[in-house]
Amino acid sequence: MKHIYVNGTILTMEDMQKQVEAICFEDEYIVGLGNRSDLIKRFPEAEIHDLCGKTMLPAFLDAHSHFTGVANALRLCDLSDATSFDDIIIKMKEFAKDRKLGKQDWLIGANYDHNFMKEKRHPDRHVLDEISMEQPIYISHASSHMGVANSAALQACGLHNAMKDPEGGRYGRDADGSMNGYMEERAFVSFQNQVPMPSMETMLELMKEAQAIYASNGITTVQEGFTQSSLFQLLLASAKSNTLYLDVVAYADVSEEKDLFTQYPTYERYQNHLRLGGYKTFADGSPQGKTAWMLEPYRGSEDRGYPAMTDAQMYQRIEKSIIKKRQLLIHCNGDAAARQYVTQFEKVMKQHPEATTHRPVMIHAQLVRKEELERMPALDMIPSFFVAHTWYWGDIHIENFGKQRADKISPAHTAKELHLPYTFHNDSPVIPPNMFKTLWCAVNRKTKSGQQIGNTEALSVEDALRGLTIHVAHQYFEEDKKGSFKEGKQADFILLDKNPYLVDQTKLDTIQVLETWKDGKCIYQKK
Ligand SMILES: [Zn+2]
Ligand SMILES: [Zn+2]
């Protein structure tokens, strides 16, 4: 059955024919688009649908987030608006009561941010011990790069005072040297890996809910941004039980010995909406947690953050991706981390002159310098910006870096000038996968307190939309199937209540997704 949509604003995200009068879908594909009467003549049997003035846009693709993280966050106590340590205690206690958690159940809170709390520092185990001394409790920071556990949780995970800090991580200590419950980077990651996961059944249900959240934001392709074996089992279970309806692209932990690609070779292509896209690793931490690795110190200190790995380790990971001919994503926030990535990549390519790169991505690229952006085209490297930081943490960045350096955060306009196929992401569950908020940020660049942050790096609405659609399809090597309206591409589209090109630019974040369609099927409808 063919369906022709007319009487609305159809934005193609193609360069040649930016807007069309009508579009025709057959099953999961676009079979024609252009002039309304021509299309009706060409497909006289098609059913005609009246868009009633709505705007149709290609569905969004998520350039970087953590799909199962979004699912998992649904069972955690949300601390994103906690304003003090006392507030955390109250919220966690209420949550435990609401969910009827017993003493043996883990009580977990997510997304606290010390920057927005009265105390202006991280809580410690003594604070969380006030909730319970027996129940294991931990909370994770909004950056996901650090967190705090209570005494029972430290004990449950076998952490003790004599333990040394792991390479690329740190345990907080009391004055007497005993662990105070705070953990960052590698220390926090290995702690979290020991916390028992909920049952498979629970996770499968939560993954359904997570898909509904992405779909309600107009996203039909999502990322699993760092996939270790245990996590991939969850994705596999979901795919095999036929409950995935969004396309999920998983990036395997590059340092894992047992390679997911060798274990699951058929998943190099989509199987029941799941595929392996390449490798992922981390070069540093986060700027709002002052663990992003910087070339110059944070304001008012000697501290420059720190790298997650040595040059040699980075080289070896990049080389692995080149030898295996796979895409590599590296989390780089600080300018030193960005420089390390580009420099080591160039070295690997010098060593392997016969090899080609596979659209490597610099994830976050928040403080990447112009010099490094200029070195990216030769490597076919893509900067993927976490541009909503300008609003969420913009004021903190101005505090941490000074206005001049903070203005350079997420240099999207510089990337555009260099013809780089930049993308934008939300790193959910760090922030919700709200694409119109991200669009608003890329265009307006305003902080929460209303300060302008780096106006010269702002983009036009059209250029910002590219970073959420066609450029992301390119990042996934799916530009022949997704990201724009063209004959033969997939029928993945969204209907909006307003035309982003006509709405007041300061109100871009008020645009609502009314419907989301994937492979020619409606997967979300606003109530
Ligand atoms: Zn990251
Ligand atoms: Zn991430």
Side-chain angles (χ1 to χ4, degrees), residues 7-288:
N7 200 22
T9 306
I10 302 170
L11 304 173
T12 67
M13 295 315 295
E14 281 284 313
D15 284 337
M16 298 303 285
Q17 207 178 14
K18 293 188 180 189
Q19 192 173 333
V20 291
E21 271 182 6
I23 188 163
C24 183
F25 301 108
E26 182 173 20
D27 304 323
E28 64 261 53
Y29 297 105
I30 300 168
V31 292
L33 68 170
N35 180 282
R36 173 186 174 142
S37 52
D38 288 352
L39 216 56
I40 294 174
K41 237 180 265 163
R42 206 174 131 199
F43 304 110
E45 75 282 20
E47 193 178 306
I48 311 286
H49 299 265
D50 187 345
L51 284 168
C52 303
K54 286 175 216 141
T55 295
M56 183 189 279
L57 195 72
F60 294 128
L61 296 93
D62 156 41
H64 174 70
S65 77
H66 304 268
F67 170 58
T68 52
V70 171
N72 193 43
L74 294 167
R75 67 183 183 95
L76 311 179
C77 173
D78 179 27
L79 299 173
S80 57
D81 58 357
T83 53
S84 66
F85 293 173
D86 284 342
D87 204 15
I88 288 179
I89 294 171
I90 293 167
K91 285 190 158 74
M92 295 283 279
K93 277 185 172 167
E94 266 174 22
F95 182 85
K97 209 172 135 198
D98 281 355
R99 306 272 173 129
K100 299 189 175 60
L101 298 181
K103 287 247 179 303
Q104 73 292 344
D105 297 321
W106 279 77
L107 170 57
I108 307 171
N111 283 342
Y112 80 91
D113 194 334
H114 64 297
N115 292 301
F116 303 127
M117 287 195 296
K118 196 173 78 189
E119 292 85 355
K120 293 271 174 200
R121 60 184 169 86
H122 296 274
D124 57 21
R125 75 181 154 92
H126 308 291
V127 174
L128 299 183
D129 281 346
E130 284 184 42
I131 303 166
S132 172
M133 284 294 285
E134 297 114 66
Q135 185 176 18
I137 300 171
Y138 87 90
I139 58 177
S140 62
H141 186 255
S143 67
S144 313
H145 285 260
M146 48 206 69
V148 186
N150 74 340
S151 302
L154 291 176
Q155 202 181 12
C157 289
L159 295 178
H160 54 85
N161 295 334
M163 282 171 83
K164 288 212 180 76
D165 290 351
E167 206 180 310
R170 191 172 74 83
Y171 294 112
R173 312 262 175 186
D174 282 333
D176 63 0
S178 60
M179 286 200 184
N180 73 3
Y182 172 79
M183 296 163 276
E184 66 187 33
E185 305 303 336
R186 284 283 155 84
F188 186 52
V189 172
S190 59
F191 163 80
Q192 276 187 306
N193 284 341
Q194 293 188 66
V195 175
M197 287 291 282
S199 71
M200 182 68 94
E201 221 182 349
T202 308
M203 276 312 289
L204 286 176
E205 277 311 307
L206 294 172
M207 282 155 86
K208 284 183 201 161
E209 273 184 66
Q211 288 183 85
I213 291 172
Y214 282 101
S216 72
N217 284 287
I219 303 166
T220 57
T221 300
V222 305
Q223 186 173 104
E224 185 62 61
F226 182 64
T227 320
Q228 294 180 314
S229 283
S230 53
L231 215 56
F232 196 68
Q233 298 312 316
L234 274 180
L235 294 170
L236 271 181
S238 184
K240 285 181 175 164
S241 62
N242 270 316
T243 52
L244 288 183
Y245 55 88
L246 302 181
D247 287 339
V248 180
V249 191
Y251 286 82
D253 177 358
V254 71
S255 55
E256 248 184 354
E257 279 295 326
K258 271 181 101 188
D259 198 307
L260 287 175
F261 284 94
T262 338
Q263 292 180 74
Y264 306 100
T266 54
Y267 283 87
E268 288 216 37
R269 314 174 111 246
Y270 283 114
Q271 309 284 336
N272 295 348
H273 294 286
L274 173 66
R275 77 173 170 96
L276 284 162
Y279 297 121
K280 166 77 186 293
T281 192
F282 301 83
D284 67 342
S286 73
Q288 75 275 31

